[in-house]
Amino acid sequence: FSGYTIFMHSAFKTYAWDLGIFTQALWTTINTDKMFYYTVELVVNPSGNYFGTHFSPVLFLIIPFYALFQSPLTLLVIQSFILGAGAFPLYLIANKELNDKVSALGLAAAYLLYPALHSVNCFDFHTECFIPLFFFFSFYYFNVKEWRKGFIFTFLLLSTIEFAPLLVMFQAVYLILKTLLGRKNVGKRKLIKELLFEISLILIAFVWLILAFFVMSSINPLKKTGLPGNWTYWGSTLTEVLINIISNPLKALTFMITPIEKVYYVISLLAPLLMLPLFSPEFICALPWLIAALLSEYRFYYHFYFQYSAFAFGQLFVAAIFSIKRLFGFMSREDGKKLIRRIVALLVIINMLFCIAVSPLGLPRFSTRKVEITPHVKILHEVLKLIPPDASIATQNDIFPHVAQREHAYILTWPLPMEVDYILVDLKSCHFLTFGGFAPALSPSEALEKILDNGTYGLLANADGILLFKRKYYGSPEIFIPRIDVFNYDDLITVFRNSMIVNDETSHSGKIIVHEPDNLPGTMWYGPYSYFYSGWYNATFRIKINSENASIIIDVADAGNVISRKRLTYDDFKTLGEWKEFTIGFKVEGLMLLEFRGFCESNNTYVALDYIRVIQLERIEAPQD
């Protein structure tokens, strides 16, 4: 997983939120006088101190390792190691409760195959990755009554993030219930004495929770409500949210199952464990996050492929172990052991199947969601070499982690906190179109348009849609690599009743856009609304017809304004049913959002489009006529 996440980083599949944030926060702590300073969220955290957003003292433990090898790759390796290391304390818990090393090893294997674990591992870096490991150890040591060691790991658990005190509180509630159910006919004084540990655990967690919010609000006054704004449906403060939820239980229950994705999320966590956690009191330990996520309107909280599942899946595995013990532990030793081993083997198989089907490292990643080091990615790495390590820079979400090891690295928006030395964008990336963080901020595309208007920046590199601007640079680009794009059925937009996508073995992609004779005249395709920068270009349309009366228009437009257009008839094709290429040239001035369109003017006409290939010409060339 370290290798895979490093590969993802090399392919620009890691982001400012959150690998870039942690990279910059740790780098500034080690190399400047600013503690955990980062720039990505200055709008909502003006101090720039990470503790103004999240209370995560566990970062102090990472500093020595990061100092030895200062790179975002260090964080990716640490995360994989910490998540994988959770299998060891889980094995200890399972071996103690089931008294069978084989079953314990099987449960550890199921944990390592668990898709939610992989999802946490494959999405950047987050302090939540420490939660399963610290929870397992604290649970194990409390269970064997080694209180001191248990407290150490409880404090480590509390140090991960400000939500962790709730996890500790619910763990203490579970321990109280366990003590009450296991002690009958015991005097009140003796019972209270036995519960002092659990009560003290709740008090420690509560004090830590207050401390966390105090630190965050002291550093960042915008955090004074104690909530990140993802429960605004229920109120604006923590107290208001709790009162509204408790006073409207039916409304809260309805909210917890709508939209249906919330139900799917819970099922995705429980199904690989055969729903076993539901049959164990230890399930209480997983409730804090499940309740919080389902009561939130923030969809990423109940999305399977983000880091938040780490708040719960460790507790779910512990609950599954105790469910197995309670369901089959009453049987004779040999019969019980055989049946438990079969259940554990089934868990391993089920998790293996889920791993293949839905894990970020499963089959979908190698089919529909590929991660590749393409020629375009290699060019971007070359362009990055032009930026000095101490220069200030503004860039987009997917490039930011690669330049985050500096104090003055920013997400490109408007206005910028300072006039940076360099601006780097990738016009082919979807992250050029979106800011990636907070909705009011301008996207990199909108910001770049404003920045280019003042003429302060010159183009240092223009490489396959990758643009590197340097402040007060007036020379020719040091790197020029013509941009090449191929747009097909997957990129373009069809028009209902005017066109459709069908299979065609003679096409390059296996599918084409078709206008049938019984379709009405009009627009056949348009899109893909991709940004292009100044220069001359040729757009080549690969088309075939089966109608001699064909009258077709192909054009290039910016915001509906036609830049270049060509009309095609049967005389241009000469033959029916054979692919032919038609090229139109056009000029882009500044930053333009282009679409490539096709119109059918004639009735009873068959037209098919295979692809549109757009090639940027050398600067001295003019476009084809």
Side-chain angles (χ1 to χ4, degrees):
F1 269 95
S2 293
Y4 181 65
T5 53
I6 289 171
F7 182 77
M8 288 181 67
H9 178 69
S10 298
F12 293 90
K13 298 297 183 182
T14 56
Y15 309 103
W17 287 270
D18 291 305
L19 182 62
I21 288 175
F22 286 106
T23 297
Q24 190 176 30
L26 288 164
W27 188 91
T28 53
T29 302
I30 295 167
N31 297 283
T32 73
D33 58 352
K34 296 182 178 180
M35 181 69 71
F36 297 120
Y37 176 78
Y38 73 110
T39 61
V40 172
E41 296 175 333
L42 292 176
V43 175
V44 294
N45 182 15
S47 70
N49 188 313
Y50 183 77
F51 279 33
T53 302
H54 292 296
F55 187 62
S56 302
V58 73
L59 289 174
F60 286 103
L61 298 179
I62 301 175
I63 289 175
F65 298 98
Y66 192 88
L68 289 173
F69 188 71
Q70 296 185 34
S71 167
L73 307 185
T74 302
L75 298 179
L76 298 177
V77 173
I78 288 174
Q79 179 166 259
S80 294
F81 175 78
I82 292 298
L83 286 168
F88 175 64
L90 178 65
Y91 165 82
L92 295 178
I93 296 169
N95 190 38
K96 179 184 179 300
E97 299 303 325
L98 303 179
N99 194 27
D100 181 21
K101 291 183 178 180
V102 174
S103 296
L105 282 170
L107 284 160
Y111 167 81
L112 293 172
L113 289 166
Y114 190 57
L117 175 75
H118 303 169
S119 296
V120 175
N121 202 159
C122 288
F123 177 47
D124 284 19
F125 173 87
H126 302 90
T127 56
E128 287 90 336
C129 71
F130 289 90
I131 290 175
L133 177 68
F134 294 158
F135 172 78
F136 286 147
F137 270 121
S138 67
F139 188 94
Y140 173 75
Y141 284 122
F142 287 152
N143 212 28
V144 296
K145 303 190 184 306
E146 293 190 33
W147 312 116
R148 187 175 299 176
K149 292 180 180 179
F151 264 119
I152 291 173
F153 283 101
T154 294
F155 278 112
L156 288 172
L157 177 58
L158 290 169
S159 73
T160 55
I161 199 168
E162 67 276 4
F163 189 83
L166 296 179
L167 303 180
V168 174
M169 287 181 191
F170 272 70
Q171 185 181 1
V173 169
Y174 156 73
L175 292 172
I176 289 173
L177 293 175
K178 183 180 178 182
T179 301
L180 291 175
L181 293 173
R183 299 287 189 274
K184 296 181 180 179
N185 301 321
V186 177
K188 288 185 178 180
R189 285 188 177 182
K190 187 175 181 181
L191 185 59
I192 292 173
K193 187 177 180 180
E194 291 184 359
L195 293 176
L196 280 177
F197 163 73
E198 289 85 352
I199 294 171
S200 65
L201 205 58
I202 292 176
L203 290 174
I204 290 170
F206 182 72
V207 171
W208 191 283
L209 184 66
I210 294 174
L211 172 66
F213 285 133
F214 173 77
V215 171
M216 288 189 295
S217 60
S218 298
I219 295 172
N220 179 14
L222 299 178
K223 200 81 171 180
K224 61 183 179 181
T225 60
L227 289 171
N230 297 324
W231 289 271
T232 51
Y233 180 87
W234 301 101
S236 58
T237 66
L238 180 58
T239 303
E240 189 178 346
V241 168
L242 291 174
I243 291 173
N244 287 335
I245 290 172
I246 294 171
S247 59
N248 297 280
L250 290 179
K251 188 177 182 180
L253 288 172
T254 303
F255 195 86
M256 291 173 72
I257 59 173
T258 52
I260 194 64
E261 284 78 11
K262 292 182 177 180
V263 178
Y264 295 155
Y265 174 66
V266 176
I267 292 174
S268 70
L269 294 178
L270 291 172
L273 296 174
L274 301 175
M275 301 295 174
L276 287 168
L278 296 174
F279 304 102
S280 171
E282 287 73 15
F283 183 65
I284 293 171
C285 298
L287 287 178
W289 178 248
L290 294 180
I291 293 172
L294 299 183
L295 285 172
S296 174
E297 61 266 40
Y298 186 58
R299 63 187 180 91
F300 297 113
Y301 282 166
Y302 48 86
H303 194 293
F304 182 71
Y305 291 102
F306 290 91
Q307 75 273 22
Y308 303 109
S309 298
F311 284 119
F313 65 68
Q315 295 88 322
L316 293 177
F317 263 90
V318 169
I321 290 170
F322 279 84
S323 285
I324 293 171
K325 180 181 178 181
R326 288 186 177 91
L327 290 173
F328 309 107
F330 67 92
M331 302 176 68
S332 65
R333 178 173 175 80
E334 289 303 317
D335 291 342
K337 182 179 287 189
K338 287 181 181 179
L339 189 53
I340 288 173
R341 286 185 177 182
R342 289 174 182 174
I343 295 298
V344 171
L346 181 59
L347 278 173
V348 173
I349 293 170
I350 290 294
N351 276 277
M352 188 177 296
L353 294 175
F354 271 98
C355 173
I356 294 170
V358 300
S359 166
L361 206 57
L363 288 178
R365 180 60 76 188
F366 299 98
S367 54
T368 58
R369 299 195 300 271
K370 292 182 179 180
V371 177
E372 298 176 289
I373 304 295
T374 63
H376 181 78
V377 167
K378 293 178 181 178
I379 292 171
L380 183 49
H381 279 290
E382 289 301 313
V383 173
L384 281 169
K385 294 177 182 178
L386 298 177
I387 305 168
D390 57 346
S392 59
I393 183 170
T395 188
Q396 59 199 49
N397 189 19
D398 54 342
I399 300 176
F400 186 89
H402 296 262
V403 298
Q405 294 200 136
R406 66 193 76 213
E407 182 179 343
H408 296 292
Y410 304 95
I411 289 292
L412 179 58
T413 187
W414 184 265
L416 282 170
M418 65 176 290
E419 193 173 49
V420 295
D421 298 322
Y422 293 86
I423 295 172
L424 176 61
V425 296
D426 180 2
L427 303 186
K428 290 188 174 183
S429 168
C430 64
H431 295 280
F432 180 65
L433 305 175
T434 59
F435 177 68
F438 310 100
L442 293 185
S443 67
S445 58
E446 295 168 318
L448 185 59
E449 289 185 42
K450 290 184 174 294
I451 291 168
L452 293 179
D453 287 341
N454 63 29
T456 305
Y457 290 87
L459 192 60
L460 184 64
N462 184 356
D464 195 34
I466 299 160
L467 307 178
L468 177 63
F469 296 92
K470 183 178 180 181
R471 187 163 61 93
K472 296 182 179 179
Y473 178 76
Y474 304 107
S476 299
E478 290 188 11
I479 297 178
F480 178 79
I481 300 174
R483 176 175 177 174
I484 300 175
D485 293 272
V486 176
F487 304 120
N488 58 24
Y489 75 94
D490 203 26
D491 309 291
L492 301 169
I493 303 168
T494 57
V495 179
F496 179 62
R497 293 183 179 177
N498 275 14
S499 57
M500 66 187 74
I501 298 172
V502 300
N503 295 323
D504 188 313
E505 294 182 356
T506 66
S507 68
H508 281 248
S509 61
K511 292 185 178 181
I512 59 175
I513 297 175
V514 169
H515 174 87
E516 296 284 0
D518 56 352
N519 290 145
L520 296 173
T523 303
M524 297 179 287
W525 67 79
Y526 61 97
Y529 299 108
S530 182
Y531 274 98
F532 285 77
Y533 188 67
S534 297
W536 290 101
Y537 296 83
N538 280 338
T540 300
F541 295 69
R542 189 171 193 249
I543 303 172
K544 68 179 176 181
I545 61 171
N546 280 338
S547 308
E548 293 184 356
N549 66 327
S551 179
I552 305 163
I553 294 175
I554 54 176
D555 71 23
V556 183
D558 169 41
N561 299 315
V562 176
I563 300 174
S564 184
R565 171 172 285 181
K566 178 176 283 190
R567 177 175 275 103
L568 304 173
T569 64
Y570 172 72
D571 292 336
D572 297 295
F573 287 89
K574 303 299 183 183
T575 55
L576 298 177
E578 292 185 8
W579 292 108
K580 188 169 182 181
E581 293 187 345
F582 300 93
T583 299
I584 54 177
F586 60 96
K587 183 181 181 181
V588 174
E589 296 180 351
L591 195 63
M592 300 176 72
L593 186 64
L594 300 185
E595 59 176 330
F596 303 86
R597 305 181 299 188
F599 305 88
C600 182
E601 296 182 306
S602 52
N603 291 307
N604 302 316
T605 304
Y606 175 94
V607 182
L609 174 74
D610 186 5
Y611 60 75
I612 304 169
R613 184 176 63 251
V614 183
I615 299 178
Q616 184 178 11
L617 305 178
E618 295 292 338
R619 286 161 289 173
I620 59 174
E621 290 185 31
Q624 289 188 14
D625 195 2

